[in-house]
PDB file of all heavy atoms in Angstrom:
ATOM      1  N   VAL A 501      10.447   7.946   4.578  1.00 97.00           N
ATOM      2  CA  VAL A 501      11.241   7.748   5.795  1.00 97.00           C
ATOM      3  C   VAL A 501      10.915   8.825   6.822  1.00 97.00           C
ATOM      4  O   VAL A 501      10.797   8.554   8.028  1.00 97.00           O
ATOM      5  CB  VAL A 501      12.741   7.736   5.463  1.00 97.00           C
ATOM      6  CG1 VAL A 501      13.593   7.819   6.723  1.00 97.00           C
ATOM      7  CG2 VAL A 501      13.100   6.480   4.673  1.00 97.00           C
ATOM      8  N   GLU A 502      10.732  10.062   6.344  1.00 97.00           N
ATOM      9  CA  GLU A 502      10.372  11.156   7.248  1.00 97.00           C
ATOM     10  C   GLU A 502       9.024  10.883   7.924  1.00 97.00           C
ATOM     11  O   GLU A 502       8.867  11.102   9.131  1.00 97.00           O
ATOM     12  CB  GLU A 502      10.311  12.471   6.461  1.00 97.00           C
ATOM     13  CG  GLU A 502       9.975  13.687   7.305  1.00 97.00           C
ATOM     14  CD  GLU A 502       9.935  14.970   6.486  1.00 97.00           C
ATOM     15  OE1 GLU A 502      10.498  14.986   5.376  1.00 97.00           O
ATOM     16  OE2 GLU A 502       9.321  15.955   6.959  1.00 97.00           O
ATOM     17  N   GLN A 503       8.047  10.396   7.170  1.00 98.00           N
ATOM     18  CA  GLN A 503       6.739  10.086   7.737  1.00 98.00           C
ATOM     19  C   GLN A 503       6.816   8.874   8.672  1.00 98.00           C
ATOM     20  O   GLN A 503       6.133   8.834   9.705  1.00 98.00           O
ATOM     21  CB  GLN A 503       5.717   9.847   6.628  1.00 98.00           C
ATOM     22  CG  GLN A 503       5.469  11.045   5.730  1.00 98.00           C
ATOM     23  CD  GLN A 503       5.124  12.305   6.508  1.00 98.00           C
ATOM     24  OE1 GLN A 503       4.323  12.277   7.451  1.00 98.00           O
ATOM     25  NE2 GLN A 503       5.741  13.417   6.125  1.00 98.00           N
ATOM     26  N   ARG A 504       7.640   7.904   8.322  1.00 98.00           N
ATOM     27  CA  ARG A 504       7.841   6.743   9.200  1.00 98.00           C
ATOM     28  C   ARG A 504       8.364   7.182  10.568  1.00 98.00           C
ATOM     29  O   ARG A 504       7.858   6.763  11.613  1.00 98.00           O
ATOM     30  CB  ARG A 504       8.833   5.770   8.555  1.00 98.00           C
ATOM     31  CG  ARG A 504       9.171   4.541   9.392  1.00 98.00           C
ATOM     32  CD  ARG A 504      10.445   3.890   8.899  1.00 98.00           C
ATOM     33  NE  ARG A 504      11.624   4.704   9.192  1.00 98.00           N
ATOM     34  CZ  ARG A 504      12.816   4.538   8.610  1.00 98.00           C
ATOM     35  NH1 ARG A 504      12.975   3.626   7.666  1.00 98.00           N
ATOM     36  NH2 ARG A 504      13.842   5.301   8.958  1.00 98.00           N
ATOM     37  N   ASP A 505       9.371   8.048  10.548  1.00 98.00           N
ATOM     38  CA  ASP A 505       9.949   8.514  11.808  1.00 98.00           C
ATOM     39  C   ASP A 505       8.969   9.395  12.582  1.00 98.00           C
ATOM     40  O   ASP A 505       8.941   9.386  13.819  1.00 98.00           O
ATOM     41  CB  ASP A 505      11.254   9.264  11.535  1.00 98.00           C
ATOM     42  CG  ASP A 505      12.338   8.347  10.974  1.00 98.00           C
ATOM     43  OD1 ASP A 505      12.183   7.111  11.082  1.00 98.00           O
ATOM     44  OD2 ASP A 505      13.327   8.866  10.422  1.00 98.00           O
ATOM     45  N   ARG A 506       8.159  10.138  11.844  1.00 98.00           N
ATOM     46  CA  ARG A 506       7.112  10.947  12.487  1.00 98.00           C
ATOM     47  C   ARG A 506       6.097  10.041  13.183  1.00 98.00           C
ATOM     48  O   ARG A 506       5.646  10.326  14.305  1.00 98.00           O
ATOM     49  CB  ARG A 506       6.440  11.808  11.421  1.00 98.00           C
ATOM     50  CG  ARG A 506       5.282  12.660  11.924  1.00 98.00           C
ATOM     51  CD  ARG A 506       4.605  13.351  10.747  1.00 98.00           C
ATOM     52  NE  ARG A 506       3.347  13.975  11.134  1.00 98.00           N
ATOM     53  CZ  ARG A 506       2.335  14.153  10.305  1.00 98.00           C
ATOM     54  NH1 ARG A 506       2.420  13.751   9.036  1.00 98.00           N
ATOM     55  NH2 ARG A 506       1.221  14.741  10.727  1.00 98.00           N
ATOM     56  N   ILE A 507       5.735   8.955  12.532  1.00 98.00           N
ATOM     57  CA  ILE A 507       4.803   7.996  13.131  1.00 98.00           C
ATOM     58  C   ILE A 507       5.389   7.437  14.421  1.00 98.00           C
ATOM     59  O   ILE A 507       4.723   7.384  15.458  1.00 98.00           O
ATOM     60  CB  ILE A 507       4.490   6.855  12.138  1.00 98.00           C
ATOM     61  CG1 ILE A 507       3.595   7.355  11.006  1.00 98.00           C
ATOM     62  CG2 ILE A 507       3.822   5.677  12.850  1.00 98.00           C
ATOM     63  CD1 ILE A 507       3.407   6.358   9.878  1.00 98.00           C
ATOM     64  N   SER A 508       6.654   7.025  14.365  1.00 98.00           N
ATOM     65  CA  SER A 508       7.292   6.437  15.547  1.00 98.00           C
ATOM     66  C   SER A 508       7.310   7.418  16.711  1.00 98.00           C
ATOM     67  O   SER A 508       6.991   7.058  17.857  1.00 98.00           O
ATOM     68  CB  SER A 508       8.720   5.987  15.209  1.00 98.00           C
ATOM     69  OG  SER A 508       8.717   4.925  14.279  1.00 98.00           O
ATOM     70  N   ALA A 509       7.677   8.660  16.426  1.00 98.00           N
ATOM     71  CA  ALA A 509       7.759   9.667  17.487  1.00 98.00           C
ATOM     72  C   ALA A 509       6.388   9.933  18.103  1.00 98.00           C
ATOM     73  O   ALA A 509       6.252  10.050  19.338  1.00 98.00           O
ATOM     74  CB  ALA A 509       8.351  10.958  16.937  1.00 98.00           C
ATOM     75  N   THR A 510       5.355  10.012  17.271  1.00 97.00           N
ATOM     76  CA  THR A 510       4.019  10.298  17.785  1.00 97.00           C
ATOM     77  C   THR A 510       3.449   9.105  18.541  1.00 97.00           C
ATOM     78  O   THR A 510       2.784   9.271  19.577  1.00 97.00           O
ATOM     79  CB  THR A 510       3.079  10.693  16.640  1.00 97.00           C
ATOM     80  OG1 THR A 510       3.667  11.764  15.888  1.00 97.00           O
ATOM     81  CG2 THR A 510       1.730  11.144  17.170  1.00 97.00           C
ATOM     82  N   LEU A 511       3.696   7.897  18.038  1.00 97.00           N
ATOM     83  CA  LEU A 511       3.250   6.698  18.747  1.00 97.00           C
ATOM     84  C   LEU A 511       3.834   6.664  20.160  1.00 97.00           C
ATOM     85  O   LEU A 511       3.136   6.370  21.139  1.00 97.00           O
ATOM     86  CB  LEU A 511       3.670   5.445  17.985  1.00 97.00           C
ATOM     87  CG  LEU A 511       2.851   5.076  16.752  1.00 97.00           C
ATOM     88  CD1 LEU A 511       3.551   3.994  15.956  1.00 97.00           C
ATOM     89  CD2 LEU A 511       1.455   4.621  17.147  1.00 97.00           C
ATOM     90  N   GLU A 512       5.115   6.982  20.250  1.00 97.00           N
ATOM     91  CA  GLU A 512       5.771   6.986  21.564  1.00 97.00           C
ATOM     92  C   GLU A 512       5.147   8.040  22.477  1.00 97.00           C
ATOM     93  O   GLU A 512       4.912   7.794  23.667  1.00 97.00           O
ATOM     94  CB  GLU A 512       7.270   7.231  21.394  1.00 97.00           C
ATOM     95  CG  GLU A 512       8.074   7.017  22.663  1.00 97.00           C
ATOM     96  CD  GLU A 512       9.564   6.993  22.400  1.00 97.00           C
ATOM     97  OE1 GLU A 512       9.983   7.308  21.267  1.00 97.00           O
ATOM     98  OE2 GLU A 512      10.308   6.654  23.345  1.00 97.00           O
ATOM     99  N   ALA A 513       4.856   9.197  21.907  1.00 96.00           N
ATOM    100  CA  ALA A 513       4.240  10.266  22.696  1.00 96.00           C
ATOM    101  C   ALA A 513       2.849   9.871  23.189  1.00 96.00           C
ATOM    102  O   ALA A 513       2.402  10.335  24.247  1.00 96.00           O
ATOM    103  CB  ALA A 513       4.161  11.542  21.865  1.00 96.00           C
ATOM    104  N   LEU A 514       2.171   9.006  22.435  1.00 96.00           N
ATOM    105  CA  LEU A 514       0.842   8.554  22.821  1.00 96.00           C
ATOM    106  C   LEU A 514       0.880   7.345  23.753  1.00 96.00           C
ATOM    107  O   LEU A 514      -0.173   6.801  24.109  1.00 96.00           O
ATOM    108  CB  LEU A 514       0.021   8.208  21.573  1.00 96.00           C
ATOM    109  CG  LEU A 514      -0.412   9.400  20.700  1.00 96.00           C
ATOM    110  CD1 LEU A 514      -1.035   8.913  19.399  1.00 96.00           C
ATOM    111  CD2 LEU A 514      -1.387  10.301  21.466  1.00 96.00           C
ATOM    112  N   GLY A 515       2.081   6.923  24.128  1.00 96.00           N
ATOM    113  CA  GLY A 515       2.206   5.834  25.088  1.00 96.00           C
ATOM    114  C   GLY A 515       2.362   4.455  24.502  1.00 96.00           C
ATOM    115  O   GLY A 515       2.391   3.460  25.232  1.00 96.00           O
ATOM    116  N   TYR A 516       2.469   4.370  23.175  1.00 97.00           N
ATOM    117  CA  TYR A 516       2.694   3.075  22.538  1.00 97.00           C
ATOM    118  C   TYR A 516       4.195   2.790  22.460  1.00 97.00           C
ATOM    119  O   TYR A 516       5.027   3.645  22.789  1.00 97.00           O
ATOM    120  CB  TYR A 516       2.059   3.049  21.144  1.00 97.00           C
ATOM    121  CG  TYR A 516       0.558   3.174  21.169  1.00 97.00           C
ATOM    122  CD1 TYR A 516      -0.063   4.407  20.950  1.00 97.00           C
ATOM    123  CD2 TYR A 516      -0.242   2.068  21.431  1.00 97.00           C
ATOM    124  CE1 TYR A 516      -1.448   4.529  20.989  1.00 97.00           C
ATOM    125  CE2 TYR A 516      -1.631   2.190  21.469  1.00 97.00           C
ATOM    126  CZ  TYR A 516      -2.217   3.424  21.251  1.00 97.00           C
ATOM    127  OH  TYR A 516      -3.576   3.532  21.304  1.00 97.00           O
ATOM    128  N   THR A 517       4.542   1.592  22.008  1.00 97.00           N
ATOM    129  CA  THR A 517       5.946   1.200  21.931  1.00 97.00           C
ATOM    130  C   THR A 517       6.317   0.873  20.489  1.00 97.00           C
ATOM    131  O   THR A 517       6.178  -0.275  20.044  1.00 97.00           O
ATOM    132  CB  THR A 517       6.222  -0.033  22.816  1.00 97.00           C
ATOM    133  OG1 THR A 517       5.743   0.217  24.134  1.00 97.00           O
ATOM    134  CG2 THR A 517       7.712  -0.340  22.866  1.00 97.00           C
ATOM    135  N   PRO A 518       6.754   1.863  19.706  1.00 98.00           N
ATOM    136  CA  PRO A 518       7.162   1.585  18.327  1.00 98.00           C
ATOM    137  C   PRO A 518       8.517   0.884  18.294  1.00 98.00           C
ATOM    138  O   PRO A 518       9.423   1.236  19.041  1.00 98.00           O
ATOM    139  CB  PRO A 518       7.250   2.980  17.708  1.00 98.00           C
ATOM    140  CG  PRO A 518       7.568   3.873  18.852  1.00 98.00           C
ATOM    141  CD  PRO A 518       6.873   3.296  20.056  1.00 98.00           C
ATOM    142  N   HIS A 519       8.632  -0.106  17.438  1.00 98.00           N
ATOM    143  CA  HIS A 519       9.905  -0.800  17.291  1.00 98.00           C
ATOM    144  C   HIS A 519      10.750  -0.092  16.229  1.00 98.00           C
ATOM    145  O   HIS A 519      10.209   0.404  15.232  1.00 98.00           O
ATOM    146  CB  HIS A 519       9.673  -2.257  16.898  1.00 98.00           C
ATOM    147  CG  HIS A 519       9.031  -3.064  17.990  1.00 98.00           C
ATOM    148  ND1 HIS A 519       9.753  -3.648  19.001  1.00 98.00           N
ATOM    149  CD2 HIS A 519       7.729  -3.359  18.240  1.00 98.00           C
ATOM    150  CE1 HIS A 519       8.931  -4.284  19.820  1.00 98.00           C
ATOM    151  NE2 HIS A 519       7.693  -4.115  19.381  1.00 98.00           N
ATOM    152  N   PRO A 520      12.068  -0.034  16.424  1.00 97.00           N
ATOM    153  CA  PRO A 520      12.934   0.590  15.420  1.00 97.00           C
ATOM    154  C   PRO A 520      12.707  -0.039  14.050  1.00 97.00           C
ATOM    155  O   PRO A 520      12.606  -1.267  13.933  1.00 97.00           O
ATOM    156  CB  PRO A 520      14.345   0.296  15.950  1.00 97.00           C
ATOM    157  CG  PRO A 520      14.172   0.108  17.422  1.00 97.00           C
ATOM    158  CD  PRO A 520      12.825  -0.539  17.583  1.00 97.00           C
TER     159      PRO A 520
END
Side-chain angles (χ1 to χ4, degrees):
V501 168
E502 181 180 341
Q503 298 308 316
R504 178 198 70 196
D505 294 344
R506 177 186 169 208
I507 288 171
S508 294
T510 307
L511 283 168
E512 190 168 9
L514 290 172
Y516 296 98
T517 307
H519 292 276

